[in-house]
Amino acid sequence: MKITVTVNGQDHERDVEPRLLLVHFLRDDLGLTGTHWGCDTSNCGVCAVWLDDVPVKSCTVLAVMADGKTVRTVEDLERDGELDPVQKGFSECHGLQCGFCTPGMLMTSRWLLDTNPDPSDEEIRVAISGQLCRCTGYENIVRSVRWAAEHPAVQNTSEPDVTV
Amino acid sequence: MQVPSHFEYERAADVEQVLALLARYGPEARVVAGGHSLLPMMKLRLAAPDALIDINDVSELSYIRVERDELLIGTLVRHAELLDSPVAAEHFPIFREAERVIADPLVRNRGTVGGSLCQADPSEDLSAAFAAVRASAVIRNAEGSRTVPLREFHVGPYETVVGDGELLTEFRVPIKPGGSSAYEKVGRRAGDWALAAAGAAIWLDGGNVADVGIGLTAVGAAHFVAAEAEEYLRGRPADDESFAQAGRIAAEHCRPTADQRGPVDYKRHLAGELTTRALRRAAERART
Ligand SMILES: Cc1cc2nc3c(=O)[nH]c(=O)nc-3n(C[C@H](O)[C@H](O)[C@H](O)COP(=O)(O)OP(=O)(O)OC[C@H]3O[C@@H](n4cnc5c(N)ncnc54)[C@H](O)[C@@H]3O)c2cc1C
Ligand code: FES
Ligand code: FES
């Protein structure tokens, strides 16, 4: 079936099977492999992307359900060669080791800071509680998000995307 | 890689269209809301519907409001919306407390209140919360609509009174003065299903219990209700002693089964203790 999904500000039209999952649509059909695919059982959160402005687990959403909707992936965080504060935070505070969980962590963190710019450590922990990291033990991830909260971008990151 | 078997996909814009599509595709069609229970089952091929009717655009089912003396909750309300709803929390703090411990923020952004109840998992949290506050459920079909008390909504594990061709549209919760509510859950880790959980709603008449609702989940309570404990409490002093005894009665009458989450006696102990705690906190709130 024909669907059109707006991913990172750009419309993508594809012919897909209704049973195709959003995570595979992003990775295999659009080549956006920044979104990872892990447990496949809605537990680990590595597949987190924004669907209509809220983070969801894209292994548990059908691509056809995103028809006519907006999706934002980790590829959209960097703007004009400038990393998003959450990306800088993870880099500054060693918020990743293998990096497998990182795209999902980044997308949830960006959303948290957009809705709550100065979260407590507890609020950060709750925000990422649907996501697993097997490497860092979470301490550095929480520190990274705090760093991003303390170093917001000079320019507002929510300006409309112009790349087509 | 888990792949569902083939199905047809339709998206409905309103309730009438959902009912028409359900009629057209027949009994092998299923409604999909958040998909966070149904899609995992389809990926494991535990479910293989011929057609999915997507109701995510049926915005007329997304509301939380008070009308006359009832709190009305549309079935497409996401867990995250119920969690953050000031009007729901004002009348029934039990909803915020239950939602805070259902799954995780990402699942709560997508999963819906109606989908949770229709899934009818024996460990589902909102079933206990809605049973405690004596909600009723509104079901629409081609002929019209009917209202079913939540305590008659579940037919068995994963089974409800919602039939083929029907859509659950609304929950109604009666608002009565002099009451409040609370929810207590124990799980193994953040975001996990309950080992046991109890919800209590209580209405006071001076120092006594005028009315009470106790919901239990994950411990095999019939219709998610601790009916014998409710019966015991009605008319008694609203004090620690009564609440402790109500907990003992609730523990005695539930029927937990052993699984990877825990053994029977531990779950039974939790059912009692959590019932007592939820009652105590609900009564404290009702007094202020
Ligand atoms: C990782 C994870 C952790 C979880 N933890 C918890 C937890 O701790 N506690 C808890 O209670 N739950 C938990 N859940 C369950 C979660 O709450 C449900 O999966 C979800 O909310 C179901 O809602 P949905 O909208 O996604 O339903 P769907 O998957 O879309 O639908 C479920 C069923 O209901 C039917 N249905 C949906 N809406 C309607 C309607 N309006 N009318 C008629 N039929 C309908 C569908 O046909 C399907 O049979 C968890 C889920 C996940 C994935
Ligand atoms: S791959 Fe989606 S939650 Fe793990
Ligand atoms: S950095 Fe390896 S899983 Fe998180």
Side-chain angles (χ1 to χ4, degrees):
Chain A
M1 116 177 225
K2 272 243 165 55
I3 60 169
T4 305
V5 187
T6 308
V7 183
N8 302 335
Q10 195 180 338
D11 288 352
H12 295 273
E13 194 183 299
R14 290 288 189 285
D15 201 359
V16 302
E17 277 191 309
R19 61 179 176 165
L20 180 69
L21 296 164
L22 181 58
V23 65
H24 301 305
F25 175 73
L26 294 170
R27 289 177 55 85
D28 304 341
D29 289 58
L30 304 188
L32 294 170
T33 52
T35 301
H36 288 170
W37 170 52
C39 68
D40 217 358
T41 58
S42 55
N43 281 289
C44 75
V46 304
C47 62
V49 302
W50 293 13
L51 176 63
D52 280 348
D53 298 324
V54 292
V56 300
K57 294 176 173 175
S58 64
C59 69
T60 314
V61 175
L62 298 168
V64 288
M65 290 173 119
D67 183 24
K69 317 262 178 213
T70 312
V71 172
R72 189 180 186 200
T73 70
V74 69
E75 283 87 353
D76 193 49
L77 288 179
E78 180 195 321
R79 288 293 159 90
D80 303 325
E82 184 76 7
L83 292 181
D84 186 277
V86 291
Q87 292 172 306
K88 288 186 194 160
F90 274 67
S91 160
E92 288 293 325
C93 303
H94 307 282
L96 63 142
Q97 288 183 39
C98 79
F100 190 64
C101 69
T102 313
M105 292 287 182
L106 291 172
M107 294 316 286
T108 307
S109 307
R110 181 67 268 154
W111 180 70
L112 171 68
L113 296 180
D114 282 357
T115 49
N116 179 5
D118 187 23
S120 65
D121 282 5
E122 178 58 23
E123 287 170 326
I124 296 171
R125 285 177 189 278
V126 169
I128 60 167
S129 62
Q131 285 154 278
L132 300 176
C133 175
R134 316 280 27 209
C135 301
T136 69
Y138 305 103
E139 284 298 331
N140 284 355
I141 295 178
V142 173
R143 229 169 267 151
S144 304
V145 181
R146 270 240 61 79
W147 188 98
E150 285 155 14
H151 300 80
V154 188
Q155 246 189 341
N156 194 336
T157 49
S158 61
E159 71 188 34
D161 198 350
V162 285
T163 48
V164 167
Chain B
M1 176 157 133
Q2 299 178 1
V3 186
S5 56
H6 287 282
F7 56 85
E8 305 230 24
Y9 172 85
E10 297 272 5
R11 197 186 286 180
D14 54 37
V15 170
E16 291 306 321
Q17 213 183 343
V18 177
L19 296 175
L21 286 164
L22 284 173
R24 176 169 1 131
Y25 283 95
E28 294 307 313
R30 293 283 280 280
V31 160
V32 65
H36 272 52
S37 288
L38 184 52
L39 294 178
M41 292 209 307
M42 289 170 63
K43 286 165 78 172
L44 294 168
R45 307 268 174 131
L46 294 171
D50 286 350
L52 284 189
I53 318 297
D54 184 348
I55 62 168
N56 282 282
D57 284 354
V58 183
S59 51
E60 64 185 288
L61 297 179
S62 296
Y63 57 86
I64 303 175
R65 64 169 181 262
V66 171
E67 242 174 55
R68 284 184 291 276
D69 51 358
E70 284 182 316
L71 177 72
L72 307 183
I73 303 175
T75 45
L76 196 62
V77 165
R78 314 271 170 196
H79 288 302
E81 291 168 332
L82 185 55
L83 172 64
D84 289 338
S85 166
V87 60
E90 179 194 336
H91 295 285
F92 299 100
I94 188 172
F95 290 128
R96 179 166 290 176
E97 289 184 354
E99 283 294 359
R100 197 176 281 150
V101 289
I102 290 178
D104 59 65
L106 304 189
V107 172
R108 293 198 293 262
N109 278 341
R110 190 78 184 148
T112 66
V113 172
S116 291
L117 268 287
C118 287
Q119 182 65 21
D121 189 295
S123 302
E124 206 273 312
D125 286 291
L126 287 180
S127 302
F130 277 120
V133 298
R134 292 171 198 276
S136 51
V138 181
I139 299 166
R140 286 275 301 269
N141 57 34
E143 277 79 54
S145 81
R146 59 197 169 104
T147 304
V148 181
L150 205 94
R151 290 166 175 229
E152 294 164 23
F153 181 79
H154 297 92
V155 181
Y158 306 101
E159 232 185 306
T160 73
V161 295
V162 181
D164 292 338
E166 292 194 317
L167 186 70
L168 178 64
T169 55
E170 184 177 77
F171 297 101
R172 297 187 175 173
V173 196
I175 301 171
K176 295 186 289 177
S180 196
S181 55
Y183 197 74
E184 293 277 347
K185 168 172 169 175
V186 168
R188 292 172 306 172
R189 52 184 155 75
D192 196 15
W193 294 85
L195 247 155
I202 197 162
W203 291 269
L204 301 180
D205 178 8
N208 285 348
V209 178
D211 198 6
V212 62
I214 303 172
L216 289 175
T217 195
V219 290
H223 300 283
F224 295 89
V225 177
E228 297 81 2
E230 292 176 344
E231 192 57 40
Y232 164 81
L233 270 181
R234 233 169 263 127
R236 271 183 210 270
D239 59 17
D240 284 357
E241 203 182 310
S242 311
F243 297 155
Q245 182 59 18
R248 280 191 285 273
I249 295 170
E252 195 184 312
H253 284 89
C254 68
R255 315 184 66 162
T257 48
D259 59 16
Q260 82 279 11
R261 291 197 168 80
V264 168
D265 49 352
Y266 179 44
K267 292 186 182 184
R268 201 183 283 286
H269 166 76
L270 284 176
E273 182 59 31
L274 297 178
T275 297
T276 302
R277 287 185 199 173
L279 284 165
R280 217 188 284 141
R281 284 202 305 113
E284 249 163 54
R285 282 185 178 142
R287 283 188 203 106
T288 52

